[in-house]
Amino acid sequence: MTVEKMIRREILGITPYVPGKPIEEVQREWGLEEVIKLASNENPLGPSPRAVQAATAALAETHLYPDGSCYLLKSALAAELGVKPDEIIVGNGCDEVIKLVAEAFFHPGDEVVVADPTFGEYAYATQLMGAKLVKVKGEGLGHDLDKMAAAVTERTKAIFVCNPNNPTGTMNTRAELEAFIARIPPEILIIIDQAYYEYVEDAAYPNGIEFKGDGRVLTLRTFSKIYGLAGLRVGYGVGDPELIALLDRTREPFNVNRIGQVAAVAALADRAHVARSLEMNRRGMEQIYRGLADLDLSYIPSVANFILFSTPYLATQIFEEMMKRGVIVRPAHIFGLPRQVRVTIGTEEQNNKFLNVLGAVLADLGKEP
Ligand SMILES: *Cc1c(COP(=O)(O)O)cnc(C)c1O
């Protein structure tokens, strides 16, 4: 075929992203009325009602382009985070900011160091630019920052630190991160992905933004997780103004939609909704820990809003069987973990359904010859 010969070779190396299955698709496929999705770490409480109200009002102005500079959102974020607006870049989700970093900085042949397992977007952005992904496996599946620092070579351009790590829910402490940054040569970018920042309650957990003075440290956050706006696509990066200005060159003029911008401003102001979400997560985490232990399944204790657990069967099998019974989870084979499954903490009722269905599926699979 001609087009296949025409394409950049790097593109053929990219594994297409497999998203969590949409609820509507599972309902259609299996003729189910009630389907719950605990696969993409979304907020089970939904968006802040104030964000919904702001978004609804903004719909009437959909004929107007959004503010390309995200002025109001950056001002609100700057006040909230104690930084200046020119230290922030807003993207169509955090995913876009990761891509902007790659487009602005990665040359073919550059090396990019990541943990294994970790969030897949780093691999995608790296391969897109023809750079080389260097995966570093740590003990207990978390980030081994010493090993990652040791993987640095003359060709290393960037290191992604996913903290807490997706899919493991593990974290690195402030002391570990500080020592790590001090060890990395100054001409290497360090991207600290804190998509789950608002969930972490461990006192030793670092705020990546404190390292922005280092110049090459970019901290990523998102409105997709605790703020419950995954469908509107708003994420951001915080770093030195010079770094932000360089990233801004690769950004499309209207990358963040109008509805997302106003909803994010409203969501940021709704502290009560964030507090409720955190409280629900705290209780749900305990509920699922207990349930998994009752089923004799081992799991990695998590500081985020999801748990990675092990099963005696293939993750894809558990996923398929649970889906038929109306519960969508994330099989971790996509992260290179064939017998592990990631589940998002839901409401109490959703967690109960998840545990009941998981128990039934394990019992059924155990009966098969
Ligand atoms: C969910 C997630 C993101 C967020 O992405 P958005 O594009 O803002 O929805 C970023 N990093 C990690 C590790 C995530 O799990």
Side-chain angles (χ1 to χ4, degrees):
M1 236 212 317
T2 329
V3 284
E4 195 163 328
K5 284 192 194 126
M6 289 152 63
I7 201 165
R8 284 171 52 218
R9 300 199 60 80
E10 291 85 353
I11 304 304
L12 295 175
I14 296 175
T15 320
Y17 180 73
V18 187
K21 269 224 185 220
I23 290 175
E24 299 81 353
E25 195 181 318
V26 174
Q27 282 172 323
R28 232 181 300 125
E29 246 174 64
W30 299 98
L32 296 166
E33 248 171 60
E34 198 203 307
V35 172
I36 60 168
K37 184 180 172 211
L38 300 174
S40 304
N41 304 340
E42 294 139 333
N43 186 338
L45 269 184
S48 146
R50 287 164 65 175
V52 174
Q53 198 175 28
T56 308
L59 277 175
E61 277 143 27
T62 300
H63 60 298
L64 299 173
Y65 277 101
D67 171 9
S69 73
C70 287
Y71 178 80
L72 290 175
L73 177 53
K74 277 200 217 167
S75 305
L77 279 171
E80 173 76 16
L81 304 169
V83 303
K84 299 198 193 73
D86 67 355
E87 294 174 316
I88 302 171
I89 183 161
V90 187
N92 183 43
C94 205
D95 285 354
E96 191 199 13
V97 184
I98 294 169
K99 192 172 168 185
L100 296 181
V101 169
E103 288 170 338
F105 290 97
F106 299 178
H107 278 121
D110 282 350
E111 291 178 357
V112 176
V113 177
V114 301
D116 180 21
T118 196
F119 189 48
E121 192 70 14
Y122 317 140
Y124 156 75
T126 300
Q127 287 167 340
L128 183 66
M129 302 313 295
K132 187 179 162 222
L133 192 72
V134 178
K135 291 159 113 184
V136 179
K137 234 185 188 59
E139 289 290 322
L141 301 180
H143 278 51
D144 184 334
L145 292 181
D146 282 336
K147 241 173 145 179
M148 287 173 75
V152 166
T153 72
E154 275 170 12
R155 312 193 74 162
T156 305
K157 174 59 66 73
I159 309 178
F160 284 95
V161 178
C162 191
N163 194 15
N165 188 34
N166 179 2
T168 54
T170 50
M171 68 161 223
N172 292 101
T173 65
R174 182 179 298 108
E176 284 168 356
L177 190 64
E178 211 165 62
F180 173 75
I181 293 172
R183 255 183 93 178
I184 303 301
E187 60 278 5
I188 296 172
L189 283 171
I190 300 172
I191 301 103
I192 307 170
D193 186 338
Q194 299 197 307
Y196 303 95
Y197 176 82
E198 297 82 1
Y199 283 106
V200 187
E201 300 188 87
D202 191 317
Y205 180 64
N207 176 356
I209 294 172
E210 285 171 17
F211 299 96
K212 71 179 160 57
D214 189 285
R216 48 53 191 273
V217 177
L218 182 73
T219 296
L220 306 178
R221 304 264 174 90
T222 182
F223 283 92
S224 298
K225 304 290 156 63
I226 209 164
Y227 291 106
L229 300 181
L232 288 176
R233 315 300 305 124
V234 187
Y236 59 98
V238 185
D240 185 82
E242 202 181 326
L243 172 58
I244 297 298
L246 291 173
L247 290 176
D248 213 41
R249 288 171 178 251
T250 55
R251 189 178 63 78
E252 284 190 31
F254 303 110
N255 63 326
V256 186
N257 75 83
R258 206 178 172 87
I259 318 296
Q261 289 188 37
V262 297
V265 171
L268 199 61
D270 193 348
R271 290 177 198 283
H273 186 74
V274 172
R276 273 194 301 274
S277 306
L278 190 59
E279 179 56 28
M280 169 173 281
N281 191 65
R282 211 181 275 141
R283 275 185 275 126
M285 187 73 80
E286 290 306 320
Q287 185 189 355
I288 294 189
Y289 283 165
R290 277 195 306 274
L292 291 174
D294 287 345
L295 291 169
D296 275 328
L297 298 175
S298 65
Y299 57 84
I300 302 179
S302 167
V303 296
N305 68 340
F306 55 87
I307 302 174
L308 187 74
F309 62 95
S310 300
T311 84
Y313 306 100
L314 288 178
T316 46
Q317 240 179 328
I318 300 277
F319 163 74
E320 285 287 331
E321 292 304 316
M322 291 192 76
M323 187 170 60
K324 290 182 202 165
R325 293 164 168 88
V327 179
I328 314 172
V329 291
R330 200 79 160 122
H333 69 291
I334 51 161
F335 295 99
L337 305 168
R339 287 176 187 271
Q340 276 156 300
V341 174
R342 192 190 69 194
V343 63
T344 304
I345 309 300
T347 61
E348 186 180 354
E349 196 187 339
Q350 290 174 334
N351 298 336
N352 274 330
K353 177 161 182 177
F354 158 75
L355 290 166
N356 289 336
V357 166
L358 178 61
V361 164
L362 289 170
D364 273 7
L365 289 172
K367 274 186 224 130
E368 278 169 27

